[in-house]
Amino acid sequence: RVRPDVTLFTEGLPSDQWEAACLAIEMLGPGDVLLIVGTSSVVYPAASLPSVAKEQGATLIEFNLELPTPLSPIVDIAVAGKAADTLRHCVDDVLRTRS
């Protein structure tokens, strides 16, 4: 049996990956951006990370097929639609403005 290299819904993240995620969030501050892409925003403890980033002063941008989500009230920008489309469009726009 082959096991995919993913964390399935009923599993927790390996502790080293969870600790790395928490450290990355804690390092965010004003001028940093956290992209929240395609999540139900209800699976804890991971769903708490955007709130921590917001408390640190980061800008939150949510990309989700269905809005609002439980995180929508705290995000700075919410983009409705398929993440594969909306995120690509946003990145393309940013890259165009930088060149």
Side-chain angles (χ1 to χ4, degrees):
R1 184 171 164 202
V2 177
R3 173 160 168 68
D5 189 20
V6 297
T7 301
L8 301 174
F9 184 72
T10 59
E11 301 173 330
L13 282 175
S15 61
D16 61 324
Q17 293 177 12
W18 174 248
E19 290 168 12
C22 290
L23 179 60
I25 292 296
E26 290 170 4
M27 293 175 66
L28 295 175
D32 292 322
V33 175
L34 177 65
L35 302 179
I36 306 161
V37 182
T39 178
S40 66
S41 308
V42 296
V43 179
Y44 283 82
S48 67
L49 295 178
S51 295
V52 174
K54 187 68 169 180
E55 291 170 5
Q56 301 289 106
T59 297
L60 306 183
I61 304 175
E62 176 181 37
F63 294 85
N64 213 315
L65 184 60
E66 296 181 14
L67 292 175
T69 70
L71 288 175
S72 295
I74 68 163
V75 303
D76 298 284
I77 301 170
V79 181
K82 292 175 77 172
D85 299 328
T86 58
L87 186 56
R88 168 54 44 206
H89 182 72
C90 179
V91 169
D92 289 345
D93 284 351
V94 169
L95 292 176
R96 253 190 310 279
T97 62
R98 300 191 98 184
S99 53

